[in-house]
């Protein structure tokens, strides 16, 4: 018998409460099987708390890497659902990836052992479909239970929102936390009195009131209130005694969670005691809507994402205002003036209390003048022919590389189509093997060409990019933010209007 280098893969998702699926239980099953059959286990891969529908898992990725580098040639799992719950991936790994890499695959509880064969029983695909259906069913049931609980006014989140705390007598109920509830009321009161969110944040900080994170006992670098914390409190209907039933939606396949649109929210009223009355809350929402300013212009301004405060090193905000005075003369229809401003003074004044500004036109002139001077010092004209030649070479290789990558993608798509034809029994096993082998040979040849081109191109990238930048820079019509980002790493602006430009070359 072949002396196999066996690896075992164990996985448990956060939602799985079945004791038979515990990591220790899986380990016992697969190690007992390996001992009985005389297989030597050289490595164990464990993903604890990871869903089987995810393609990328830490230990799973490590296992795939080891297979590709021939460190293991046998994989043992408790059952197929531990490997993956995606029906398509089940077929891919068992019928293509493992055979291609000469890996013997064993699923103990499913009585599956590929042995030294390259074909695996078609029941694997059926089991893959069952596993994915099971996951979808579990996900729906969990969502249904949570939604039903919320509809009944029960609070199911782990943490209570700021201003509330979990009830000590009733599970899934929140009650007012009198220690901080007055802070919430103060925020609503001050906003209705005309205070901006920034001024409210500053006032709470000055009073020495702990931020919500600090109050919960979480570690915070700076215990200062921020505008966004104030905004979240002002917009949350939970303070009126209501629960939002569908604030978030999740995809069981990708595990991604996204926020639903506010107009689609459904509320369960009178779920708990309110901190602010509905009339106050509605007045605040009306003010928030009236104060919301949409971006006044959408064009990509010249120095976008490049301007930073020279004191605190935070990115400066791009803003506009109407000029009401020119040379101390009041004007009625003032022109719009765009400028950069350090807003850290509103967020964390202890970090930076400068709040300084610089006009966009002024900064643009300084940067362009400095940039022109820098390029002149490089004596670009003397090197232009060399750079042009290198650029031409690199450009042709880029085109060839793009074509090869496109061909590789087409072959990968053909393999998927071929595999589906086999599943649907539109072609025989023999036809599948022959066509699959031909496609893999083509793919291998293309991969070699791609790697060779990449090696040849490495030493030319810098010359190509420099040349492209110079050519575009010489044409005023192409002078834009993209070119600036290639030339400049960062622009630092100080309170005395001193500008420090850090170049990329």
């Amino acid at each position: 018998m072949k002396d196999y280098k066996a690896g075992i893969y164990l996985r448990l998702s956060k939602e799985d409460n079945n004791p038979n699926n515990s990591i220790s239980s899986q380990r016992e099953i697969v190690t007992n099987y390996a001992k009985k059959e005389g297989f030597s286990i050289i490595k164990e891969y464990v993903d604890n708390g990871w869903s089987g529908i995810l393609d990328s898992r830490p230990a799973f990725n490590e296992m795939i890497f080891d297979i590709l580098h021939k460190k293991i040639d046998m994989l043992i799992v408790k059952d197929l659902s531990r490997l993956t719950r995606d029906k398509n991936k089940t077929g891919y790994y068992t019928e293509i990836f493992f055979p291609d890499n000469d890996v013997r695959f064993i699923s103990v509880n499913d009585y599956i052992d590929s042995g030294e064969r390259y074909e695996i029983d078609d029941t694997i695909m059926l089991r893959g479909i069952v596993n994915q259906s099971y996951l979808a069913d579990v996900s729906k049931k969990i969502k249904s239970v949570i939604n039903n609980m919320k509809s009944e006014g029960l609070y199911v989140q782990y943490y209570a929102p700021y201003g509330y705390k979990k009830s000590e007598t009733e599970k899934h109920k929140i009650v007012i936390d009198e220690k901080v509830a007055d802070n919430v009321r103060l925020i609503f009161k001050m906003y209705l009195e005309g205070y901006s969110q920034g001024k409210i944040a500053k006032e709470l900080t000055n009073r020495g009131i702990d931020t919500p994170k600090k109050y919960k006992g979480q570690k915070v670098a700076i215990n200062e209130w921020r505008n966004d914390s104030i905004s979240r409190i002002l917009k949350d209907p939970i303070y009126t005694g209501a629960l939002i039933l569908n604030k978030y939606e999740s995809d069981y396949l990708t595990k991604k969670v996204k926020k639903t649109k506010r107009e689609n929210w459904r509320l369960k009223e009178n779920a708990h005691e309110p901190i602010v009355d509905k009339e106050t809350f509605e007045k605040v929402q009306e003010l928030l809507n009236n104060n919301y300013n949409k971006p006044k212009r959408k064009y990509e301004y010249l120095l976008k994402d490049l301007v930073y405060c020279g004191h605190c090193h935070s990115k400066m905000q791009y803003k506009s205002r109407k000029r009401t005075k020119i040379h101390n003369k009041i004007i009625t229809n003032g022109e719009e003036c765009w400028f950069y401003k350090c807003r850290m003074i509103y967020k964390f004044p202890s970090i930076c209390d400068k709040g300084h500004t610089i006009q966009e036109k002024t900064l643009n002139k300084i940067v362009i003048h400095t940039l022109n001077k820098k390029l002149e010092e490089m004596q670009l004209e003397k090197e232009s022919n060399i750079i042009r030649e290198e650029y031409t070479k690199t450009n042709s290789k880029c085109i060839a590389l793009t074509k090869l990558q496109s061909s590789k993608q087409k072959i990968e798509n053909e393999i998927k189509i071929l595999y589906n034809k086999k599943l649907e029994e539109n072609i025989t096993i023999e036809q599948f093997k022959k066509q699959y082998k031909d496609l893999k040979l083509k793919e291998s040849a293309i991969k070699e060409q791609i790697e060779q081109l990449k090696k040849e191109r490495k030493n030319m990238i810098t010359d190509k990019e420099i040349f492209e930048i110079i050519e575009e820079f010489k044409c005023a019509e192409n002078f834009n933010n993209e070119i600036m980002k290639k030339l400049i790493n960062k622009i630092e602006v100080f309170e005395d209007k001193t500008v420090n430009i850090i170049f990329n070359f």
Side-chain angles (χ1 to χ4, degrees):
M1 185 179 74
K2 180 179 175 180
D3 187 17
Y4 285 99
K5 296 175 289 185
I8 62 173
Y9 180 70
L10 319 172
R11 182 192 64 77
L12 183 69
S13 65
K14 291 178 181 177
E15 298 83 9
D16 197 339
N17 297 316
N18 186 345
N20 293 327
N21 284 337
S22 69
I23 295 296
S24 58
S25 175
Q26 292 179 55
R27 184 182 289 112
E28 184 179 359
I29 290 169
V30 296
T31 52
N32 286 345
Y33 177 87
K35 186 177 180 180
K36 177 185 173 184
E37 297 297 326
F39 299 135
S40 299
I41 298 172
I42 66 166
K43 195 162 183 180
E44 177 181 286
Y45 306 90
V46 182
D47 278 319
N48 198 347
W50 291 82
S51 170
I53 205 68
L54 297 174
D55 268 350
S56 181
R57 298 166 241 151
F60 184 84
N61 295 343
E62 184 184 356
M63 178 189 74
I64 295 298
F65 180 85
D66 286 351
I67 288 173
L68 292 171
H69 289 78
K70 310 300 180 186
K71 291 184 178 180
I72 62 170
D73 54 15
M74 173 184 282
L75 181 65
I76 310 174
V77 297
K78 170 182 167 281
D79 56 57
L80 273 171
S81 67
R82 298 306 95 197
L83 181 70
T84 177
R85 284 195 183 275
D86 186 322
K87 62 179 185 295
N88 296 322
K89 290 294 181 183
T90 300
Y92 167 73
Y93 288 120
T94 57
E95 295 200 28
I96 295 179
F97 182 76
F98 293 148
D100 276 0
N101 290 280
D102 296 319
V103 172
R104 181 173 175 180
F105 176 70
I106 297 172
S107 176
V108 179
N109 285 3
D110 295 317
Y111 302 103
I112 292 170
D113 182 354
S114 67
E116 295 179 358
R117 298 178 293 113
Y118 278 4
E119 301 88 16
I120 296 184
D121 198 297
D122 284 341
T123 57
I124 286 186
M125 273 304 294
L126 179 60
R127 291 181 189 275
I129 292 169
V130 170
N131 284 330
Q132 185 165 323
S133 299
Y134 166 79
L135 188 66
D137 186 51
V138 169
S139 177
K140 287 177 183 176
K141 286 178 179 176
I142 291 172
K143 286 180 182 177
S144 177
V145 169
I146 290 174
N147 286 334
N148 287 339
M149 290 177 73
K150 285 183 176 180
S151 298
E152 293 171 7
L154 301 179
Y155 189 82
V156 296
Q157 270 70 35
Y158 187 77
Y159 288 109
Y162 185 74
Y164 288 97
K165 61 182 180 180
K166 292 286 190 75
S167 171
E168 296 178 359
T169 56
E170 293 183 79
K171 192 176 181 180
H172 300 305
K173 283 287 184 183
I174 55 175
V175 295
I176 293 176
D177 184 351
E178 295 297 348
K179 291 181 180 179
V180 292
D182 280 342
N183 298 335
V184 175
R185 297 184 186 103
L186 176 64
I187 289 169
F188 278 88
K189 179 176 178 292
M190 289 183 70
Y191 193 75
L192 286 177
E193 289 174 352
Y195 288 87
S196 67
Q197 294 175 30
K199 286 184 178 179
I200 296 172
K202 191 173 182 179
E203 177 63 23
L204 294 178
T205 301
N206 290 339
R207 293 190 184 190
I209 296 172
D210 284 338
T211 62
K213 284 186 177 180
K214 176 75 173 177
Y215 182 70
K216 285 179 186 176
Q218 298 178 18
K219 289 185 179 180
V220 292
I222 303 169
N223 188 30
E224 291 184 17
W225 284 78
R226 294 177 52 171
N227 297 22
D228 53 359
S229 300
I230 303 298
S231 178
R232 278 195 295 270
I233 289 173
L234 290 173
K235 293 176 181 178
D236 199 336
I238 200 163
Y239 296 108
T240 66
L243 284 179
I244 306 171
L245 303 186
N246 59 330
K247 190 174 184 179
Y248 300 97
E249 58 184 24
S250 60
D251 187 332
Y252 82 94
L253 285 171
T254 63
K255 293 294 179 181
K256 289 184 178 179
V257 178
K258 65 178 183 179
K259 202 171 184 178
T260 57
K261 291 183 179 179
R262 194 178 182 88
E263 55 265 27
N264 295 331
W265 287 1
R266 288 189 301 111
L267 300 180
K268 169 63 178 177
E269 305 285 357
N270 304 316
H272 48 266
E273 190 178 353
I275 292 178
V276 297
D277 59 79
K278 288 183 182 178
E279 185 181 356
T280 298
F281 184 80
E282 291 304 325
K283 284 180 181 178
V284 166
Q285 303 318 299
E286 188 178 346
L287 277 175
L288 286 169
N289 291 331
N290 291 338
N291 291 337
Y292 175 72
N293 294 317
K294 294 183 179 179
K296 293 188 171 80
R297 69 180 185 185
K298 296 180 181 178
Y299 85 97
E300 283 217 342
Y301 46 96
L302 187 62
L303 303 179
K304 182 180 180 183
D305 297 326
L306 289 172
V307 185
Y308 290 78
C309 171
H311 304 282
C312 66
H313 309 295
S314 62
K315 191 177 289 185
M316 295 182 77
Q317 190 174 25
Y318 188 60
K319 295 176 66 66
S320 72
R321 63 167 173 254
K322 289 278 187 179
R323 293 187 69 181
T324 56
K325 286 184 180 182
I326 297 180
H327 303 304
N328 293 325
K329 289 184 179 180
I330 297 175
I331 51 175
T332 52
N333 297 319
E335 65 172 330
E336 200 167 30
C337 173
W338 292 84
F339 61 97
Y340 296 93
K341 181 179 179 68
C342 177
R343 292 185 59 79
M344 190 58 70
I345 189 171
Y346 302 120
K347 296 180 180 179
F348 300 121
S350 62
I351 293 178
C352 184
D353 60 356
K354 305 301 180 185
H356 55 296
T357 65
I358 188 168
Q359 286 193 25
E360 179 190 24
K361 290 180 181 179
T362 303
L363 186 58
N364 285 357
K365 285 179 182 178
I366 293 171
V367 171
I368 292 169
H369 173 75
T370 309
L371 192 51
N372 274 323
K373 193 173 179 181
K374 181 82 172 174
L375 290 171
E376 284 173 11
E377 291 172 358
M378 291 177 66
Q379 296 181 326
L380 298 175
E381 296 304 323
K382 291 182 180 180
E383 305 295 330
S384 61
N385 290 333
I386 298 172
I387 295 174
R388 187 183 300 276
E389 184 181 342
E390 292 294 343
Y391 172 72
T392 305
K393 288 180 185 177
T394 308
N395 193 40
S396 63
K397 292 186 187 300
C398 284
I399 293 170
L401 185 61
T402 302
K403 287 181 179 178
L404 284 171
Q405 287 172 335
S406 177
S407 299
K408 178 175 170 288
Q409 185 61 51
K410 285 180 181 177
I411 289 176
E412 289 174 354
N413 291 337
E414 287 180 33
I415 290 175
K416 289 178 182 177
I417 293 169
L418 180 67
Y419 181 67
N420 287 332
K421 284 182 179 179
K422 174 187 171 296
L423 291 180
E424 294 166 4
E425 297 184 349
N426 292 329
I427 57 173
T428 64
I429 295 291
E430 288 71 25
Q431 288 174 323
F432 170 78
K433 285 182 179 179
K434 183 180 181 304
Q435 293 179 44
Y436 178 72
K437 184 178 179 181
D438 291 341
L439 287 171
K440 292 296 284 186
L441 286 172
K442 288 181 183 178
E443 184 184 41
S444 179
I446 288 173
K447 282 182 178 178
E448 286 182 14
Q449 293 178 59
I450 288 173
E451 289 304 313
Q452 185 60 36
L453 267 180
K454 283 181 177 179
K455 287 177 183 177
E456 293 175 5
R457 196 184 66 161
K458 271 184 181 178
N459 296 328
M460 301 181 190
I461 290 176
T462 303
D463 289 338
K464 175 254 179 179
E465 288 183 344
I466 290 175
F467 174 80
E468 187 179 12
I469 291 166
I470 294 164
E471 288 299 303
E472 291 181 28
F473 184 76
K474 288 177 180 177
C475 303
E477 61 206 49
N478 293 328
F479 194 78
N480 55 28
N481 178 249
E482 185 181 355
I483 299 172
M484 281 302 209
K485 285 179 178 176
K486 290 177 182 177
L487 293 167
I488 297 172
N489 176 266
K490 183 187 287 187
I491 300 165
E492 295 178 332
V493 179
F494 294 84
E495 188 180 18
D496 61 359
K497 301 297 187 287
T498 302
V499 176
N500 178 39
I501 304 173
I502 302 168
F503 293 98
N504 287 324
F505 60 95

